[in-house]
Amino acid sequence: MTSRTWLVTGANSGFGRHLSEQLLSRGDRVVGTFRAAGSVENLSARWPDAFRAAHLDVTDPAEITAVVDDAWAALRRIDVVVSNAGYGLMGAAEELSDEQVAHQIATNLTGSIRLIRAALPHLRRQGGGRILQLSSVGGQVAWPGGSLYHATKWGVEGFADALAGEIAPFGIGVTIVEPGGARTNFRYGGSVLADRIGAYDGTPAAGIRRILTERTTEGIGDAALMAAAMIASVDRDPAPRRLVLGSDAYGAIEGALAARLADVRGQRESAEATDAPLEGAITGGPADLNA
């Protein structure tokens, strides 16, 4: 087992906490970021030489740059960057405030992009590394009541998918992690519920409100086992593009992909009917940027 150095955002709870504890227990070094004061003190006390704590609000671009640059300056090499910080904003799209929408995007999408962009020059200079981008089953499947959360996860998956091709020549791998429901504090501690609009009572969008207010459901996934699978994925070469965790995630993603593929396949003739005459032109590929 190779000893590595990791940068893990959101190390104080959920997957970030499980990852940090498992990595430190096996002898790796971790730079773990947190927002709440005192939330990682026990990690610092237990592993004073291996754990480096750093305050980070991923909505603050200057703080992202400072934390990433300081981590590399102090440790000289970081092998794996885990972009994990995020939360769920739930409610029908109309129920969300502009401020809630902006903060969800700034945290889950823009924050992840900025973190990775800040790390890329360091990863290139050191000759490679690995990026784990935490997404969700909600990055492949969309349910009523989670429109903005899904928007951020689908967005970050598109970013990471394209990024993987850009940085592969530098020896940097990218894995998008897609866990299903897990027994962490995400569902009832890390989710924000928009103010209710009565017109949506009894509609599909109200289902998530009922779940979050009644607190009667629990994720099927074992968070510790999921974290262990994320760690194990780093030893795979080439990097797995997507890592699906949980039988619920597998079933939902497989069903959604099958439905989308069936919808697309039913439109082959109508799609081809909109092509312009070739007349000797070379078409197709990334040069066609009008889409």
Side-chain angles (χ1 to χ4, degrees):
M1 182 175 61
T2 304
S3 178
R4 295 187 175 94
T5 301
W6 301 61
L7 170 62
V8 180
T9 61
N12 55 296
S13 65
F15 288 130
R17 182 71 175 211
H18 283 284
L19 286 166
S20 297
E21 290 178 345
Q22 290 183 31
L23 292 167
L24 292 164
S25 294
R26 76 176 201 166
D28 286 5
R29 297 189 300 178
V30 175
V31 178
T33 76
F34 65 94
R35 287 192 64 192
S39 57
V40 295
E41 285 183 355
N42 54 351
L43 296 178
S44 298
R46 185 174 176 185
W47 291 284
D49 298 325
F51 182 73
R52 178 182 177 89
H55 179 274
L56 177 61
D57 180 348
V58 295
T59 68
D60 184 336
E63 192 170 29
I64 289 174
T65 301
V67 166
V68 170
D69 289 350
D70 288 350
W72 252 278
L75 301 176
R76 304 189 67 81
R77 179 181 179 89
I78 293 175
D79 301 290
V80 187
V81 176
V82 183
S83 176
N84 166 67
Y87 71 99
L89 172 61
M90 303 300 170
E94 188 183 354
E95 293 175 323
L96 309 175
S97 70
D98 289 345
E99 292 76 17
Q100 288 175 321
V101 168
H103 193 266
Q104 175 80 138
I105 293 171
T107 303
N108 290 12
L109 179 56
T110 313
S112 295
I113 292 171
R114 284 173 171 156
L115 175 78
I116 291 170
R117 279 173 35 82
L120 287 178
H122 300 284
L123 291 168
R124 279 194 300 101
R125 280 194 291 267
Q126 72 186 22
R130 187 69 62 89
I131 295 167
L132 298 187
Q133 174 59 58
L134 267 290
S135 179
S136 161
V137 60
Q140 289 287 317
V141 184
W143 290 285
S147 56
L148 255 294
Y149 177 72
H150 291 305
T152 61
K153 291 304 183 181
W154 285 53
V156 82
E157 288 211 16
F159 169 77
D161 228 346
L163 177 75
E166 295 174 1
I167 60 180
F170 305 112
I172 307 168
V174 178
T175 296
I176 303 165
V177 184
E178 296 174 331
R183 295 180 182 182
T184 68
N185 64 343
F186 176 86
R187 183 171 303 193
Y188 299 126
S191 294
V192 173
L193 189 57
D195 290 340
R196 170 180 161 270
I197 294 177
Y200 287 93
D201 293 349
T203 72
I208 188 64
R209 182 177 300 279
R210 186 165 55 253
I211 289 171
L212 292 180
T213 55
E214 294 178 359
R215 300 192 170 207
T216 55
T217 65
E218 188 174 32
I220 193 174
D222 184 311
L225 292 177
M226 289 176 161
M230 295 179 212
I231 294 169
S233 75
V234 175
D235 288 320
R236 293 167 59 184
D237 188 16
R241 182 62 58 88
R242 283 178 166 81
L243 184 66
V244 180
L245 301 175
S247 60
D248 57 339
Y250 180 87
I253 292 172
E254 183 182 46
L257 292 176
R260 290 207 292 275
L261 185 58
D263 189 33
V264 170
R265 282 178 170 163
Q267 301 182 60
R268 179 173 180 175
E269 291 185 1
S270 60
E272 291 175 346
T274 62
D275 290 351
L278 291 179
E279 298 179 350
I282 298 174
T283 62
D288 288 354
L289 301 178
N290 293 326

